[in-house]
Amino acid sequence: MSSNESNGSHNPKKYSVPLTEGPNRAAARSYLRGVGFSKEDLHKPIIGIANTWTEIGPCNFHLRDIAEAVKQGIREAGGTPMEFNTITISDGITMGTEGMKASLISREVIADSVELVARGNLFDGLVAIAGCDKNMPGTVMALARLDIPSLMVYGGSIKPGKLNGVDITIQNVFEAIGSHAAGKLDDAGLEAVEAAACPTAGACGGQFTANTMAMACEFLGISPIGLSGVPAFLPEKLESAREAGRLIMQAARNDLRPSKLITPQSIETAIASVAASGGSTNAVLHFLAIAHEMGIKLDIDDFDRISNRTPLLCDLKPGGNYVAVDYYEAGGSRLLAKRLIEAGLIDGSLPNVTGKTLAEEAALAVETPGQPVIHTLENAIKPTGGLVILKGNLAPEGCVIKVAGHKRLEHRGPARVFDAEQDAFHAVESGQIKPNDVIVIRYEGPKGGPGMREMLQVTAAVAGIPELSETVALLTDGRFSGATRGLMAGHVAPEAVDAGPIAAVREGDMIHFDIPNRKLDVEVSDAVLAERMKDWKKPEPRYKSGVFRKYINTVSSAAQGAVTN
C-alpha cells in the first residue's frame, strides 16, 4: 500500500457512481428513496452487507443484531449500508440425512448469490457476516471474485453447555447418540445431553469447521483479527461489529481490496493457523477453493508440507480439552499469531484488513496468566500440526487425516464396505462393526453424493463406543465434520463415482493406514484392482434435475477443492 493510499486519498465512492449519480439515475434513486434512503444517503459510499441470517439453527440466528451494529459503524464512518440476505444450511441439523448433501453445495450458492447482488448493485465496499461452516468460505470466495474493499466478520461461537458442572458441546450429543445405541446411555441421559449442549445462539463451540475457518480468515487477513472471533454471547460482540463497520469505510478510503490481502503467503499463514490449532479437515477443501478464486496455485500436498513444519499449540476440542470461548479468553488469534511469528513460522509483515500488519496485531496480544489453551513453542502439544495428507493405491490424488487428538499412526484391518453413510451408521448402531475393522463409505463424494456429506453421525457413533473408539478406522470419499475425532481419512480421491480405486474395494480386503510414510493402501495388487473395475458400471446420478444435478455436472475433485466450473 502506498503512502497516498494509507492516508485514505482514494475515492471511497468509486464503484457506485454509475448507479446513484447524475440526472439519468433519478429512477434508481427514486426506488431507493422509497425504502427509506435519503438524498444525502445516496451520495455517500454505498456498502453492501451480505447477511447469512436464518432462524433455522443457532449459528446464524443472532446475525440480524450483528448486521445492525455493522450498519451503525458504517454510518458513523460516513457510509450508507444496504443489507441483503443469502442462504445457509446448518451442517449439524442436517447431519445424517439426505439434507446434508446440500451443505457443501451451499458454499457455491452463497458465493454466487453474494457476487450477483454486489455486481448488480455496484457497491463501494462489502461486509459479509457469516456464522456456519460454509458461510465463511462461501462469502470469502465471493469477496475474492469481486475484489472491492471488503471484509468478513464472524457471528461468533456459542456459549458452552454445562452438564454436571462440565463444559459440553454438540460433539457430546453426537457421541451420546453412539453410546445410547450401544446401550451404554439411557433415554434420560441422552435427553440431558441434548438439552444442555446448545444454551445460546452462536456457532458450534469447539475447533470445528466454523471456528477453524473464522480463525483462519483472521490469519488470511480478510477478517479483522481480534474482532471477528469475539464469541457470540459476549456484550462486546456488538461493539466489535460496529468497529468492523468503521473498518470497511477505512478500507474503502484506502482501496484495501482482497487481492492485497489474499496472497500465496497469507494462504500459507492461514493454513499454518489451522495446523497449529488442530482445526477441521474441511479447511483443506475451503482454502483450495479460495486459492482457486484468486488464481493462486495451491496443491493438496502443500497442506502436509505446512502442517509438518508447524507445531500443534492449541488444546482445543474435538481432539483436546477446551472450546473457542477458552481460546478467546486465553489471548485468541493475536496470541497464536505472536507464537507463530516468534517461531519464524509465519510472516508478520502481511497486512490485515484492520490496516495493521499481522506483527502489529500480534504485539497487541494480551495473554491470560497461566492459561492452558494456547501452548508455548517449548511446550508444544505435538511437534507437527494437525493435518496430514496420505496417498497410495486407494487415494492416488490424496486424502486428508486430522491427527490432532489421537495417537495411532498405523492401522491395518479388514474393510467393511458401505455404499452410503446411513448403511454404515446402521452397522455401527446394530453392533456389526468389530474392533480393528476399517469402515469404508463410498459414493459420498462431491459428484457421487452429491455434495460430499460429512460423516459425523458415523464417526461420533464410533467414538461413543469405547471398544471401537480406539480400535476402528474409517475412510470415505465424503467429508468429516470438524467435530470428528479418531483415525479417519476423508476426501479420498478420485471418488468412487469417478472410478476411483475406492470403488474396487471389497468386503474383507486388508487396508493399511501408514501415517509416518503418508500412505493409504488396500493390500490388493494393481492387476486385481484393474480386473475388478472391468465389471464396474458408473451408477446413475442420484438426482436427475435441479441444483444437485447442476452441481454434479460442474464440480471438481475434492483434491481440487470441489469447486464448480
Side-chain angles (χ1 to χ4, degrees):
M1 187 184 302
S2 72
S3 58
N4 280 342
E5 289 172 330
S6 64
N7 289 331
S9 63
H10 181 78
N11 175 17
K13 196 172 169 62
K14 173 181 178 181
Y15 300 100
S16 66
V17 166
L19 189 81
T20 63
E21 302 305 307
N24 67 342
R25 300 311 302 160
R29 293 192 297 271
S30 183
Y31 280 121
L32 292 167
R33 289 172 76 156
V35 295
F37 293 103
S38 69
K39 178 181 178 180
E40 291 72 26
D41 289 336
L42 299 178
H43 294 310
K44 294 176 182 177
I46 308 295
I47 307 297
I49 311 289
N51 195 350
T52 56
W53 173 85
T54 181
E55 65 178 9
I56 308 173
C59 302
N60 304 67
F61 182 69
H62 60 303
L63 297 188
R64 280 179 168 171
D65 294 335
I66 301 293
E68 286 303 318
V70 171
K71 288 192 280 188
Q72 186 178 354
I74 290 169
R75 293 187 188 104
E76 290 169 354
T80 295
M82 292 186 180
E83 183 183 357
F84 63 98
N85 230 97
T86 185
I87 61 103
T88 186
I89 303 293
S90 168
D91 292 46
I93 293 172
T94 61
M95 195 75 66
T97 73
E98 190 74 0
M100 215 300 165
K101 294 179 178 180
S103 169
L104 186 60
I105 299 172
S106 78
R107 185 188 74 180
E108 312 307 305
V109 176
I110 290 166
D112 290 351
S113 63
V114 173
E115 179 192 5
L116 279 170
V117 175
R119 291 199 190 281
N121 292 284
L122 307 182
F123 296 133
D124 296 300
L126 187 59
V127 176
I129 305 174
C132 198
D133 296 11
K134 307 309 172 294
N135 297 176
M136 265 74 66
T139 54
V140 171
M141 288 161 67
L143 305 187
R145 295 174 189 176
L146 293 162
D147 202 29
I148 61 175
S150 49
L151 61 86
M152 187 274 285
V153 64
Y154 177 43
S157 175
I158 197 170
K159 186 176 184 178
K162 284 279 187 187
L163 186 62
N164 302 322
V166 176
D167 284 355
I168 65 170
T169 70
I170 196 67
Q171 175 189 351
N172 298 87
V173 184
F174 281 104
E175 293 182 5
I177 293 169
S179 298
H180 181 269
K184 300 179 186 301
L185 185 68
D186 62 16
D187 290 349
L190 181 59
E191 163 66 22
V193 179
E194 174 189 329
C198 297
T200 65
C204 302
Q207 193 67 342
F208 312 149
T209 304
N211 282 316
T212 294
M213 290 306 299
M215 176 210 68
C217 285
E218 293 181 287
F219 282 80
L220 185 66
I222 198 67
S223 289
I225 192 167
L227 292 178
S228 192
V230 177
F233 61 91
L234 292 182
E236 52 264 41
K237 186 63 185 180
L238 294 182
E239 177 50 40
S240 72
R242 280 178 66 189
E243 180 59 23
R246 300 181 194 112
L247 283 174
I248 190 59
M249 289 303 299
Q250 175 181 299
R253 293 186 177 103
N254 292 334
D255 194 30
L256 184 55
R257 293 175 282 114
S259 58
K260 300 181 181 181
L261 298 169
I262 303 175
T263 62
Q265 295 75 23
S266 72
I267 288 177
E268 290 218 1
T269 294
I271 294 168
S273 75
V274 175
S277 67
S280 169
T281 53
N282 285 312
V284 176
L285 277 181
H286 298 329
F287 277 107
L288 286 168
I290 291 167
H292 171 80
E293 299 296 351
M294 292 301 303
I296 292 171
K297 186 178 184 305
L298 184 67
D299 188 86
I300 192 170
D301 293 326
D302 292 324
F303 292 84
D304 194 83
R305 171 179 58 82
I306 296 165
S307 185
N308 196 44
R309 73 181 187 214
T310 307
L312 178 62
L313 298 180
C314 297
D315 186 7
L316 293 169
K317 291 178 182 289
N321 296 298
Y322 300 98
V323 295
V325 177
D326 301 315
Y327 171 79
Y328 172 75
E329 292 176 346
S333 294
R334 284 182 175 132
L335 179 59
L336 181 58
K338 183 178 180 182
R339 298 270 198 265
L340 295 175
I341 290 169
E342 287 173 348
L345 294 168
I346 62 174
D347 183 355
S349 69
L350 296 174
N352 187 269
V353 74
T354 61
K356 296 183 174 69
T357 66
L358 193 55
E360 289 169 337
E361 289 289 355
L364 301 175
V366 178
E367 181 174 3
T368 299
Q371 60 83 20
V373 184
I374 305 172
H375 288 221
T376 62
L377 274 296
E378 296 73 25
N379 189 33
I381 298 167
K382 287 185 176 181
T384 56
L387 295 176
V388 166
I389 305 298
L390 304 185
K391 291 187 174 179
N393 72 353
L394 256 183
E397 294 179 3
C399 67
V400 186
I401 286 186
K402 181 162 68 174
V403 294
H406 71 84
K407 296 179 180 178
R408 272 187 295 165
L409 297 179
E410 191 169 5
H411 183 94
R412 183 176 180 272
R416 304 297 311 281
V417 182
F418 305 93
D419 288 349
E421 177 196 10
Q422 55 267 37
D423 295 339
F425 178 69
H426 174 71
V428 175
E429 192 178 38
S430 58
Q432 298 174 41
I433 303 300
K434 306 302 180 187
N436 208 49
D437 283 350
V438 177
I439 301 170
V440 178
I441 307 176
R442 62 192 181 190
Y443 298 104
E444 291 285 7
K447 294 178 188 174
M452 208 178 179
R453 283 192 290 187
E454 292 181 351
M455 304 289 123
L456 181 58
Q457 189 178 48
V458 179
T459 62
V462 169
I465 303 172
E467 58 268 31
L468 300 183
S469 62
E470 295 301 325
T471 63
V472 164
L474 187 150
L475 65 93
T476 179
D477 53 7
R479 296 183 295 126
F480 294 128
S481 164
T484 291
R485 60 190 179 96
L487 186 54
M488 313 287 176
H491 311 190
V492 170
E495 62 175 296
V497 81
D498 277 343
I502 191 173
V505 176
R506 292 186 179 173
E507 190 83 5
D509 286 347
M510 296 303 292
I511 292 178
H512 186 202
F513 289 71
D514 182 357
I515 291 175
N517 291 305
R518 303 300 195 257
K519 299 286 285 182
L520 176 64
D521 290 310
V522 58
E523 294 178 354
V524 175
S525 71
D526 290 346
V528 170
L529 290 175
E531 186 65 28
R532 290 178 182 178
M533 291 304 291
K534 286 181 181 178
D535 296 326
W536 177 82
K537 290 187 174 72
K538 184 172 183 173
E540 284 290 310
R542 286 173 168 156
Y543 287 83
K544 302 293 196 295
S545 63
V547 67
F548 282 15
R549 183 55 191 262
K550 188 185 299 184
Y551 187 79
I552 292 167
N553 292 344
T554 56
V555 70
S556 74
S557 164
Q560 298 168 337
V563 296
T564 53
N565 293 293

